[in-house]
Amino acid sequence: MNRIKLLVVDDSILFREVLSRYVQSDDIIEVVGKAGDAYSARDMILKYEPDVMTLDIEMPKMDGVAFLKKLLPQYYIPTIVVSSSEKQKADCINAGAVEFLTKPANRTNKDMETFAGNLCAAVRRAYKNSNTENDPKTDSSKPAQSPASSASKTSSAVKQPENESVKSSQKHSKLKKSEAIIALGASTGGTEALIQVVKEFPADTPPVIIVQHMPAGFTKMYAERLDRICKMDVKEAEDGDRLRSGLIILGAGDFHLRLEKDSKGYYVSSKHGERVSGHCPSVDVLFNSVAETAGPHAIGAIFTGMGRDGADGLLKMRKAGAFTIGQDKSTCVVYGMPMEAYNIGAVEVQAPLGEIARIILNNLY
Protein backbone atom coordinates (compact mmCIF):
# COMPACT_ATOMS: atom_id res chain seq x y z
CA MET A 1 0.00 0.00 0.00
CA ASN A 2 1.33 3.44 -0.92
CA ARG A 3 1.72 5.87 1.95
CA ILE A 4 0.98 9.59 2.09
CA LYS A 5 4.24 11.40 1.34
CA LEU A 6 4.88 14.20 3.85
CA LEU A 7 7.46 16.98 3.69
CA VAL A 8 8.32 18.55 7.08
CA VAL A 9 9.60 22.15 6.93
CA ASP A 10 10.88 23.73 10.14
CA ASP A 11 14.00 25.72 10.95
CA SER A 12 14.51 23.83 14.23
CA ILE A 13 16.54 20.70 13.55
CA LEU A 14 15.45 19.22 16.86
CA PHE A 15 11.74 19.83 16.31
CA ARG A 16 11.65 18.49 12.75
CA GLU A 17 13.61 15.39 13.76
CA VAL A 18 11.45 14.70 16.80
CA LEU A 19 8.24 15.41 14.90
CA SER A 20 9.32 13.20 12.02
CA ARG A 21 10.05 10.34 14.39
CA TYR A 22 6.59 10.50 15.94
CA VAL A 23 4.85 10.88 12.56
CA GLN A 24 6.77 7.95 11.07
CA SER A 25 5.00 5.66 13.53
CA ASP A 26 1.78 6.21 11.55
CA ASP A 27 1.42 3.31 9.11
CA ILE A 28 -0.13 5.50 6.40
CA ILE A 29 2.26 8.49 6.47
CA GLU A 30 5.86 8.54 5.28
CA VAL A 31 8.16 11.52 5.89
CA VAL A 32 9.98 11.80 2.56
CA GLY A 33 11.92 14.98 3.33
CA LYS A 34 12.89 17.43 6.08
CA ALA A 35 13.79 21.01 5.17
CA GLY A 36 15.08 23.88 7.29
CA ASP A 37 14.07 26.78 5.04
CA ALA A 38 11.86 27.65 2.08
CA TYR A 39 14.59 27.20 -0.52
CA SER A 40 15.44 23.70 0.66
CA ALA A 41 11.71 22.97 0.74
CA ARG A 42 11.37 24.14 -2.86
CA ASP A 43 14.04 21.69 -4.00
CA MET A 44 12.53 18.83 -2.00
CA ILE A 45 9.04 19.43 -3.38
CA LEU A 46 10.27 18.79 -6.90
CA LYS A 47 12.57 15.95 -5.84
CA TYR A 48 10.18 13.98 -3.63
CA GLU A 49 6.77 15.14 -4.93
CA PRO A 50 5.14 15.11 -1.48
CA ASP A 51 1.38 14.79 -1.08
CA VAL A 52 1.24 17.13 1.93
CA MET A 53 3.62 19.64 3.56
CA THR A 54 3.92 20.93 7.14
CA LEU A 55 5.36 24.42 7.35
CA ASP A 56 6.79 26.59 10.12
CA ILE A 57 6.27 30.37 9.95
CA GLU A 58 9.49 31.80 11.39
CA MET A 59 12.31 30.59 9.17
CA PRO A 60 15.52 32.09 7.74
CA LYS A 61 15.70 33.49 4.18
CA MET A 62 11.91 33.49 3.68
CA ASP A 63 9.12 33.19 6.24
CA GLY A 64 6.33 30.66 5.91
CA VAL A 65 3.61 33.11 4.90
CA ALA A 66 5.73 34.55 2.08
CA PHE A 67 6.55 31.03 0.92
CA LEU A 68 2.86 30.10 0.84
CA LYS A 69 2.01 33.20 -1.19
CA LYS A 70 4.79 32.52 -3.68
CA LEU A 71 4.35 28.77 -3.98
CA LEU A 72 0.70 27.79 -3.79
CA PRO A 73 -0.76 29.86 -6.65
CA GLN A 74 1.76 28.20 -8.97
CA TYR A 75 2.48 24.77 -7.52
CA TYR A 76 -0.33 23.67 -5.25
CA ILE A 77 0.45 21.36 -2.34
CA PRO A 78 -1.85 20.95 0.70
CA THR A 79 -0.01 22.73 3.51
CA ILE A 80 -0.49 22.51 7.28
CA VAL A 81 1.15 25.38 9.14
CA VAL A 82 2.76 24.36 12.44
CA SER A 83 3.78 27.30 14.63
CA SER A 84 4.47 28.26 18.24
CA SER A 85 2.23 31.33 17.92
CA GLU A 86 -1.26 31.90 16.50
CA LYS A 87 -0.57 35.56 15.66
CA GLN A 88 -0.33 34.88 11.93
CA LYS A 89 -2.97 32.17 11.73
CA ALA A 90 -5.34 34.30 9.65
CA ASP A 91 -2.50 35.31 7.30
CA CYS A 92 -1.59 31.66 6.77
CA ILE A 93 -5.14 30.56 6.03
CA ASN A 94 -5.61 33.51 3.68
CA ALA A 95 -2.38 32.54 1.92
CA GLY A 96 -3.74 29.05 1.25
CA ALA A 97 -2.83 26.84 4.22
CA VAL A 98 -5.43 24.12 4.75
CA GLU A 99 -4.95 23.95 8.55
CA PHE A 100 -3.06 25.65 11.36
CA LEU A 101 -1.72 23.74 14.36
CA THR A 102 0.00 25.20 17.40
CA LYS A 103 3.19 23.52 18.57
CA PRO A 104 3.00 22.09 22.10
CA ALA A 105 4.40 24.44 24.75
CA ASN A 106 6.02 21.48 26.48
CA ARG A 107 7.89 18.81 24.54
CA THR A 108 7.26 15.87 26.87
CA ASN A 109 6.63 12.48 25.29
CA LYS A 110 2.96 12.70 26.16
CA ASP A 111 2.58 16.20 24.69
CA MET A 112 4.42 15.25 21.52
CA GLU A 113 2.40 12.06 21.11
CA THR A 114 -0.84 14.05 21.38
CA PHE A 115 0.41 16.70 18.98
CA ALA A 116 1.67 14.10 16.50
CA GLY A 117 -1.71 12.36 16.62
CA ASN A 118 -3.46 15.63 15.79
CA LEU A 119 -0.98 16.34 13.02
CA CYS A 120 -1.39 12.88 11.47
CA ALA A 121 -5.15 13.37 11.45
CA ALA A 122 -4.67 16.75 9.75
CA VAL A 123 -2.34 15.19 7.16
CA ARG A 124 -4.92 12.52 6.37
CA ARG A 125 -7.64 15.18 6.00
CA ALA A 126 -5.45 17.34 3.78
CA TYR A 127 -4.62 14.40 1.56
CA LYS A 128 -8.21 13.20 1.39
CA ASN A 129 -9.52 16.65 0.46
CA SER A 130 -6.97 17.12 -2.31
CA ASN A 131 -6.71 13.55 -3.53
CA THR A 132 -7.46 13.32 -7.22
CA GLU A 133 -8.72 9.76 -7.37
CA ASN A 134 -9.86 6.90 -5.16
CA ASP A 135 -6.85 5.63 -3.27
CA PRO A 136 -6.30 2.87 -0.68
CA LYS A 137 -4.36 5.35 1.44
CA THR A 138 -7.56 7.03 2.54
CA ASP A 139 -10.41 5.14 0.88
CA SER A 140 -11.68 8.59 0.05
CA SER A 141 -14.08 9.22 -2.77
CA LYS A 142 -13.03 11.44 -5.61
CA PRO A 143 -13.73 15.16 -5.09
CA ALA A 144 -15.73 16.96 -7.71
CA GLN A 145 -12.84 19.21 -8.77
CA SER A 146 -9.51 17.51 -9.31
CA PRO A 147 -6.78 17.57 -11.93
CA ALA A 148 -6.79 13.84 -12.56
CA SER A 149 -10.47 12.97 -12.40
CA SER A 150 -11.49 10.10 -14.63
CA ALA A 151 -13.28 10.89 -17.85
CA SER A 152 -15.96 8.39 -16.86
CA LYS A 153 -17.15 10.79 -14.17
CA THR A 154 -17.83 13.50 -16.71
CA SER A 155 -19.63 13.88 -19.96
CA SER A 156 -17.74 13.62 -23.22
CA ALA A 157 -16.16 16.61 -24.92
CA VAL A 158 -18.55 19.48 -25.53
CA LYS A 159 -18.42 21.80 -28.51
CA GLN A 160 -18.17 25.45 -27.54
CA PRO A 161 -20.79 27.63 -29.22
CA GLU A 162 -19.21 29.99 -31.72
CA ASN A 163 -18.34 33.44 -30.44
CA GLU A 164 -19.41 36.32 -32.67
CA SER A 165 -15.77 37.23 -33.16
CA VAL A 166 -14.95 33.74 -34.49
CA LYS A 167 -16.06 32.70 -37.95
CA SER A 168 -18.93 30.27 -37.59
CA SER A 169 -17.88 28.48 -40.79
CA GLN A 170 -14.55 27.49 -39.26
CA LYS A 171 -14.04 23.73 -39.63
CA HIS A 172 -10.92 21.81 -38.76
CA SER A 173 -9.14 19.14 -40.72
CA LYS A 174 -6.55 16.95 -39.09
CA LEU A 175 -3.09 18.49 -38.97
CA LYS A 176 0.02 16.93 -40.47
CA LYS A 177 2.36 15.79 -37.71
CA SER A 178 5.27 17.26 -39.67
CA GLU A 179 3.69 20.73 -39.60
CA ALA A 180 1.80 20.88 -36.29
CA ILE A 181 2.65 22.78 -33.12
CA ILE A 182 0.98 21.99 -29.78
CA ALA A 183 0.82 24.79 -27.18
CA LEU A 184 -0.37 24.20 -23.61
CA GLY A 185 -0.94 26.66 -20.75
CA ALA A 186 -1.75 26.10 -17.08
CA SER A 187 -1.48 27.50 -13.57
CA THR A 188 -2.82 26.27 -10.20
CA GLY A 189 -3.16 22.50 -10.34
CA GLY A 190 -1.52 22.41 -13.73
CA THR A 191 1.65 20.56 -12.75
CA GLU A 192 -0.34 17.36 -12.24
CA ALA A 193 -2.89 18.07 -14.98
CA LEU A 194 -0.18 18.52 -17.61
CA ILE A 195 1.43 15.23 -16.60
CA GLN A 196 -1.87 13.43 -17.21
CA VAL A 197 -1.85 14.75 -20.78
CA VAL A 198 1.76 14.74 -21.97
CA LYS A 199 2.57 11.29 -20.59
CA GLU A 200 0.10 9.93 -23.17
CA PHE A 201 1.91 11.52 -26.12
CA PRO A 202 3.92 9.05 -28.25
CA ALA A 203 7.62 9.69 -28.86
CA ASP A 204 6.92 10.98 -32.40
CA THR A 205 4.37 13.62 -31.32
CA PRO A 206 4.86 17.06 -32.93
CA PRO A 207 6.70 19.67 -30.86
CA VAL A 208 4.95 20.75 -27.66
CA ILE A 209 5.55 24.11 -25.97
CA ILE A 210 4.23 24.74 -22.47
CA VAL A 211 3.82 27.62 -20.05
CA GLN A 212 3.07 26.52 -16.50
CA HIS A 213 3.06 29.30 -13.92
CA MET A 214 5.99 28.42 -11.66
CA PRO A 215 8.69 30.43 -9.89
CA ALA A 216 12.24 30.53 -11.21
CA GLY A 217 14.09 27.45 -10.02
CA PHE A 218 11.04 25.22 -10.14
CA THR A 219 10.70 24.96 -13.90
CA LYS A 220 14.01 23.19 -14.50
CA MET A 221 13.20 20.53 -11.91
CA TYR A 222 9.67 20.18 -13.24
CA ALA A 223 11.03 19.72 -16.77
CA GLU A 224 13.36 17.02 -15.46
CA ARG A 225 10.41 15.34 -13.75
CA LEU A 226 8.40 15.39 -16.99
CA ASP A 227 11.38 14.01 -18.88
CA ARG A 228 11.47 11.00 -16.56
CA ILE A 229 7.75 10.36 -17.03
CA CYS A 230 7.17 11.10 -20.71
CA LYS A 231 7.90 9.19 -23.89
CA MET A 232 8.90 12.52 -25.45
CA ASP A 233 12.06 14.40 -24.51
CA VAL A 234 11.48 17.37 -22.18
CA LYS A 235 13.67 20.36 -21.38
CA GLU A 236 13.43 23.81 -19.84
CA ALA A 237 13.45 26.51 -22.50
CA GLU A 238 16.66 28.22 -23.50
CA ASP A 239 16.67 31.12 -25.92
CA GLY A 240 17.04 29.81 -29.48
CA ASP A 241 16.03 26.20 -28.80
CA ARG A 242 14.95 24.50 -32.03
CA LEU A 243 11.66 22.62 -32.08
CA ARG A 244 11.46 19.09 -33.38
CA SER A 245 9.17 16.12 -33.31
CA GLY A 246 9.38 14.31 -29.99
CA LEU A 247 10.45 17.37 -27.95
CA ILE A 248 8.56 19.25 -25.22
CA ILE A 249 9.88 22.69 -24.21
CA LEU A 250 8.75 24.14 -20.88
CA GLY A 251 8.90 27.89 -20.35
CA ALA A 252 11.50 28.92 -17.75
CA GLY A 253 10.42 30.81 -14.63
CA ASP A 254 10.81 34.61 -15.04
CA PHE A 255 11.26 34.26 -18.83
CA HIS A 256 8.55 34.76 -21.44
CA LEU A 257 8.32 31.90 -23.95
CA ARG A 258 7.50 32.75 -27.57
CA LEU A 259 7.28 30.71 -30.75
CA GLU A 260 9.43 32.02 -33.61
CA LYS A 261 10.14 30.83 -37.15
CA ASP A 262 12.89 31.31 -39.71
CA SER A 263 14.04 29.58 -42.88
CA LYS A 264 15.22 26.58 -40.84
CA GLY A 265 11.89 26.11 -39.06
CA TYR A 266 10.43 26.75 -35.63
CA TYR A 267 12.41 27.79 -32.58
CA VAL A 268 11.64 29.51 -29.27
CA SER A 269 12.53 32.84 -27.75
CA SER A 270 13.05 32.81 -23.97
CA LYS A 271 13.63 36.30 -22.60
CA HIS A 272 13.09 38.36 -19.47
CA GLY A 273 10.21 40.79 -19.63
CA GLU A 274 7.53 42.63 -17.73
CA ARG A 275 4.68 40.55 -16.34
CA VAL A 276 1.81 40.03 -18.76
CA SER A 277 -1.61 39.16 -17.36
CA GLY A 278 0.21 39.13 -14.01
CA HIS A 279 2.74 36.46 -14.96
CA CYS A 280 6.17 35.79 -16.38
CA PRO A 281 6.12 33.44 -18.17
CA SER A 282 2.66 34.28 -19.44
CA VAL A 283 0.33 31.93 -21.28
CA ASP A 284 -1.04 34.89 -23.24
CA VAL A 285 2.46 35.71 -24.51
CA LEU A 286 2.96 32.12 -25.67
CA PHE A 287 -0.47 31.74 -27.27
CA ASN A 288 -0.24 35.13 -29.03
CA SER A 289 3.08 34.14 -30.57
CA VAL A 290 1.69 30.76 -31.66
CA ALA A 291 -1.29 32.46 -33.31
CA GLU A 292 1.02 34.81 -35.22
CA THR A 293 3.65 32.23 -36.15
CA ALA A 294 1.82 28.91 -36.63
CA GLY A 295 -1.79 30.02 -37.22
CA PRO A 296 -3.94 27.11 -38.46
CA HIS A 297 -1.10 24.61 -37.96
CA ALA A 298 -1.45 24.82 -34.17
CA ILE A 299 -3.41 23.13 -31.42
CA GLY A 300 -3.86 25.06 -28.18
CA ALA A 301 -5.16 23.85 -24.83
CA ILE A 302 -5.76 25.77 -21.62
CA PHE A 303 -5.87 24.04 -18.25
CA THR A 304 -6.74 24.63 -14.61
CA GLY A 305 -5.59 27.90 -13.06
CA MET A 306 -6.56 31.11 -11.30
CA GLY A 307 -7.23 34.31 -13.20
CA ARG A 308 -7.53 34.71 -16.95
CA ASP A 309 -3.99 34.45 -18.33
CA GLY A 310 -4.19 32.67 -21.67
CA ALA A 311 -7.82 33.42 -22.46
CA ASP A 312 -7.13 36.27 -24.88
CA GLY A 313 -4.20 34.44 -26.43
CA LEU A 314 -6.29 31.31 -27.01
CA LEU A 315 -8.98 33.42 -28.67
CA LYS A 316 -6.32 34.88 -30.95
CA MET A 317 -5.20 31.32 -31.78
CA ARG A 318 -8.74 30.29 -32.62
CA LYS A 319 -9.26 33.36 -34.83
CA ALA A 320 -6.03 32.42 -36.63
CA GLY A 321 -7.48 29.00 -37.42
CA ALA A 322 -5.95 26.90 -34.64
CA PHE A 323 -7.87 24.09 -32.96
CA THR A 324 -8.49 25.05 -29.31
CA ILE A 325 -9.40 23.02 -26.24
CA GLY A 326 -10.33 23.97 -22.68
CA GLN A 327 -10.31 21.76 -19.59
CA ASP A 328 -13.81 21.39 -18.18
CA LYS A 329 -14.95 22.60 -14.77
CA SER A 330 -15.41 19.19 -13.17
CA THR A 331 -11.75 18.22 -13.60
CA CYS A 332 -10.13 21.58 -12.77
CA VAL A 333 -8.55 22.35 -9.42
CA VAL A 334 -9.44 25.99 -10.20
CA TYR A 335 -11.84 26.68 -13.06
CA GLY A 336 -10.52 30.16 -13.73
CA MET A 337 -8.39 30.35 -16.86
CA PRO A 338 -10.41 27.76 -18.82
CA MET A 339 -13.67 29.43 -17.79
CA GLU A 340 -12.51 32.85 -18.96
CA ALA A 341 -11.37 31.37 -22.25
CA TYR A 342 -14.67 29.51 -22.67
CA ASN A 343 -16.74 32.60 -21.87
CA ILE A 344 -15.11 34.72 -24.59
CA GLY A 345 -15.41 32.02 -27.24
CA ALA A 346 -11.76 31.00 -27.31
CA VAL A 347 -12.51 27.32 -26.64
CA GLU A 348 -13.73 25.22 -29.54
CA VAL A 349 -13.97 22.00 -27.54
CA GLN A 350 -14.33 21.77 -23.77
CA ALA A 351 -13.37 18.39 -22.34
CA PRO A 352 -12.51 16.54 -19.13
CA LEU A 353 -8.81 16.22 -18.43
CA GLY A 354 -8.74 12.50 -19.12
CA GLU A 355 -9.86 13.03 -22.73
CA ILE A 356 -7.63 15.92 -23.79
CA ALA A 357 -4.60 13.87 -24.88
CA ARG A 358 -6.83 11.66 -27.03
CA ILE A 359 -8.52 14.70 -28.58
CA ILE A 360 -5.16 16.25 -29.49
CA LEU A 361 -3.80 13.03 -30.96
CA ASN A 362 -7.00 12.38 -32.90
CA ASN A 363 -6.52 15.73 -34.64
CA LEU A 364 -3.14 14.70 -36.05
CA TYR A 365 -2.22 12.43 -38.94
Side-chain angles (χ1 to χ4, degrees):
M1 179 186 296
N2 294 328
R3 301 170 76 186
I4 300 171
K5 295 184 292 183
L6 177 67
L7 173 63
V8 175
V9 185
D10 197 292
D11 69 331
S12 168
I13 297 176
L14 179 61
F15 185 79
R16 66 176 181 262
E17 292 296 333
V18 171
L19 180 62
S20 298
R21 188 170 68 246
Y22 278 102
V23 171
Q24 283 285 139
S25 64
D26 189 294
D27 60 359
I28 284 183
I29 301 171
E30 176 188 7
V31 177
V32 294
K34 293 169 280 189
D37 60 66
Y39 294 94
S40 296
R42 177 198 66 186
D43 295 344
M44 289 185 181
I45 288 170
L46 271 294
K47 181 177 181 180
Y48 298 116
E49 301 169 21
D51 299 309
V52 180
M53 176 172 66
T54 69
L55 180 66
D56 189 17
I57 294 178
E58 296 180 1
M59 297 187 298
K61 301 180 183 178
M62 182 187 297
D63 66 61
V65 176
F67 186 49
L68 283 172
K69 290 179 178 179
K70 186 176 179 66
L71 174 72
L72 295 191
Q74 306 177 75
Y75 190 106
Y76 182 74
I77 177 171
T79 302
I80 301 161
V81 172
V82 177
S83 177
S84 300
S85 170
E86 292 195 358
K87 289 181 180 179
Q88 290 184 275
K89 180 176 180 179
D91 291 337
C92 293
I93 299 301
N94 289 337
V98 296
E99 291 202 38
F100 187 103
L101 297 181
T102 305
K103 293 179 181 178
N106 299 313
R107 306 291 167 85
T108 64
N109 285 341
K110 183 178 180 180
D111 289 334
M112 285 302 298
E113 285 177 1
T114 300
F115 176 76
N118 292 335
L119 179 62
C120 288
V123 169
R124 289 170 183 247
R125 284 193 298 272
Y127 178 82
K128 179 178 179 180
N129 291 337
S130 68
N131 190 21
T132 57
E133 53 188 89
N134 293 331
D135 192 291
K137 289 186 274 193
T138 58
D139 293 325
S140 62
S141 59
K142 188 182 305 181
Q145 294 184 1
S146 67
S149 293
S150 157
S152 65
K153 292 285 285 186
T154 19
S155 59
S156 57
V158 178
K159 272 279 185 180
Q160 156 73 339
E162 294 287 347
N163 182 281
E164 290 181 2
S165 61
V166 181
K167 293 179 180 179
S168 60
S169 61
Q170 182 182 23
K171 302 293 181 184
H172 284 286
S173 303
K174 289 188 176 184
L175 301 180
K176 278 187 179 182
K177 284 186 177 181
S178 60
E179 299 177 353
I181 294 290
I182 300 168
L184 312 178
S187 188
T188 310
T191 52
E192 297 305 316
L194 288 169
I195 287 173
Q196 296 302 311
V197 174
V198 297
K199 73 178 184 181
E200 301 299 326
F201 290 164
D204 64 346
T205 300
V208 178
I209 42 182
I210 299 175
V211 163
Q212 161 69 51
H213 295 159
M214 299 180 83
F218 272 79
T219 45
K220 181 174 176 56
M221 289 183 285
Y222 182 57
E224 291 170 350
R225 178 185 174 193
L226 288 176
D227 190 58
R228 293 193 300 269
I229 294 170
C230 295
K231 302 176 187 73
M232 299 178 72
D233 296 328
V234 186
K235 74 180 298 292
E236 182 187 46
E238 295 179 80
D239 193 42
D241 277 340
R242 288 280 167 183
L243 273 63
R244 60 170 173 80
S245 174
L247 177 64
I248 297 172
I249 292 181
L250 176 73
D254 289 344
F255 289 78
H256 284 306
L257 182 67
R258 292 179 174 87
L259 179 67
E260 307 281 358
K261 190 177 184 181
D262 60 17
S263 60
K264 297 179 182 179
Y266 291 112
Y267 66 98
V268 297
S269 162
S270 180
K271 298 184 185 298
H272 282 294
E274 296 295 321
R275 291 177 179 270
V276 175
S277 303
H279 300 279
C280 185
S282 162
V283 182
D284 270 328
V285 168
L286 174 63
F287 284 175
N288 285 337
S289 72
V290 173
E292 294 167 0
T293 307
H297 300 294
I299 296 174
I302 191 164
F303 296 86
T304 174
M306 297 179 187
R308 67 181 321 277
D309 185 31
D312 293 334
L314 195 69
L315 179 59
K316 189 170 182 179
M317 284 184 64
R318 191 176 183 196
K319 287 180 178 180
F323 177 59
T324 61
I325 306 163
Q327 185 179 351
D328 74 354
K329 181 177 180 180
S330 69
T331 60
C332 282
V333 172
V334 179
Y335 186 55
M337 288 161 48
M339 177 187 71
E340 294 290 346
Y342 183 91
N343 287 344
I344 64 172
V347 174
E348 183 169 353
V349 172
Q350 184 168 245
L353 180 63
E355 294 189 15
I356 291 177
R358 177 186 60 78
I359 291 169
I360 291 173
L361 295 173
N362 282 350
N363 276 273
L364 301 170
Y365 74 95

